[in-house]
């Protein structure tokens, strides 16, 4: 993945200056405490070298290997920013609540799975918010009845079709994505809503992940172990 990022960044004219990498490494090792401003430069350099050596020893990495990882992280950030330039500031959005549960089927246990329980209790007319608080593994939203806020099209691609097919006040059946199942409820829909910064950032990350998936498909990837390859 890091090699794909390097090649992609180079192809888009994104470059890193050595001092950018140096500064990032120092920031990661020393942190950003204001008290460091009062430390004499020679003492600060000694502390940096000592902490850096200990950190590399803990990771069992060479300086070259760690520097390569930091370079990839910085390029990822720059590449994500460039790919995200086409992310809109206004988009069709839905005020969304969700219940996220582990998609364990009832066949795997002797008792009904979480998906079955939530589904049955929704059909019995129980409040969506109360079930979110009781069952949702996304505890950040669960404490607010599953309220995720305003979500633009494209923020959660596997859920888009379901989200924007719901009428205000309507809840969905379980939507299975990887190891989780999502119950979705839309309160409102706005055809052209200004996006909040957090959702703009998410759309940028989605754009990057889509680019990365495409690049994986465009390249033949080999992992080498010792003298062989697979």
């Amino acid at each position: 993945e890091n090699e794909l990022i390097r090649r992609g960044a180079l192809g888009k004219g994104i470059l890193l200056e050595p001092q950018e990498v140096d500064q990032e490494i120092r920031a990661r090792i020393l942190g950003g405490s204001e008290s460091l401003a009062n430390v004499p430069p020679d003492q600060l350099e000694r502390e940096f070298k000592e902490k850096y050596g200990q950190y590399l020893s803990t990771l069992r990495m060479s300086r070259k290997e760690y520097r390569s990882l930091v370079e990839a992280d910085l390029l990822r950030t720059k590449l994500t920013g460039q790919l995200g330039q086409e992310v809109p500031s206004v988009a069709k959005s839905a005020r969304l609540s969700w219940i996220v549960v582990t998609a364990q089927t009832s066949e795997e246990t002797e008792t009904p799975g979480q998906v079955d329980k939530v589904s049955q209790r929704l059909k019995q007319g129980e409040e969506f918010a109360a079930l979110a608080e009781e069952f949702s593994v996304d505890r950040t939203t669960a404490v607010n009845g599953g309220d995720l806020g305003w979500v633009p099209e494209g923020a959660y691609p596997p859920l888009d079709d379901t989200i924007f097919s719901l009428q205000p006040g309507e809840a969905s059946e379980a939507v299975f994505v990887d190891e989780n199942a999502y119950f979705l409820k839309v309160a409102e829909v706005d055809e052209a809503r200004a996006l909040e910064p957090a959702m703009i950032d998410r759309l940028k990350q989605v754009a990057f992940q889509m680019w990365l998936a495409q690049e994986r498909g465009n390249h033949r990837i080999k992992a080498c172990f010792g003298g062989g390859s697979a």
Side-chain angles (χ1 to χ4, degrees):
E1 182 173 308
N2 286 345
E3 184 58 30
L4 290 175
I5 291 171
R6 288 191 182 91
R7 289 171 181 253
L10 183 62
K12 293 182 179 297
I14 299 173
L15 301 174
L16 280 177
E17 296 295 334
Q19 56 266 32
E20 290 182 77
V21 184
D22 293 338
Q23 290 171 2
E24 179 65 18
I25 291 174
R26 291 183 72 87
R28 293 187 182 193
I29 299 302
L30 292 174
S33 174
E34 294 181 1
S35 63
L36 295 176
N38 300 320
V39 178
D42 57 340
Q43 180 182 340
L44 192 62
E45 185 63 21
R46 286 196 301 271
E47 289 186 15
F48 167 71
K49 288 181 179 179
E50 182 180 350
K51 290 182 177 180
Y52 192 22
Q54 292 173 346
Y55 186 63
L56 292 175
S57 178
T58 301
L59 294 180
R60 297 184 179 179
M61 275 188 179
S62 67
R63 289 175 181 264
K64 182 178 179 180
E65 289 170 332
Y66 184 67
R67 187 179 184 85
S68 179
L69 288 179
V70 173
E71 287 175 348
D73 286 346
L74 291 173
L75 287 173
R76 177 193 292 264
T77 300
K78 289 191 173 188
L79 183 56
T80 299
Q82 188 171 119
L83 292 169
Q85 288 179 358
E86 297 182 5
V87 167
S89 59
V90 175
K92 183 178 182 179
S93 303
R95 181 65 185 264
L96 181 70
S97 295
W98 65 11
I99 302 170
V100 186
V101 295
T102 303
Q104 185 181 45
T105 64
S106 57
E107 288 80 9
E108 295 171 344
T109 63
E110 295 180 358
T111 59
Q114 300 289 74
V115 175
D116 292 338
K117 289 179 182 178
V118 174
S119 181
Q120 290 168 8
R121 289 171 66 173
L122 280 173
K123 290 177 180 177
Q124 291 168 2
E126 292 195 37
E127 287 292 329
F128 191 95
L131 292 174
E133 187 171 356
E134 180 178 351
F135 287 100
S136 185
V137 297
D138 179 8
R139 301 314 299 171
T140 302
T141 59
V143 295
N144 295 317
D147 185 10
L148 193 63
W150 285 95
V151 173
E153 280 187 312
Y156 299 93
L159 304 177
D160 258 5
D161 288 346
T162 302
I163 292 171
F164 293 96
S165 68
L166 295 172
Q167 296 299 314
E170 184 181 5
S172 75
E173 297 286 342
V175 180
F176 294 88
V177 180
D178 298 326
E179 297 179 355
N180 289 327
Y182 296 80
F183 293 87
L184 310 169
K185 184 175 182 179
V186 168
E188 303 175 64
V189 176
D190 191 330
E191 293 293 329
R193 185 177 180 84
L195 305 188
E196 298 175 359
M199 281 300 164
I200 291 177
D201 288 343
R202 178 166 182 84
L203 289 175
K204 289 180 179 180
Q205 290 297 326
V206 170
F208 171 78
Q209 291 300 330
M210 291 177 67
W211 171 86
L212 187 58
Q214 183 177 11
E215 287 299 300
R216 284 197 185 103
N218 291 338
H219 292 82
R220 195 174 163 203
I221 301 173
K222 290 185 177 180
C224 298
F225 303 93
S229 64

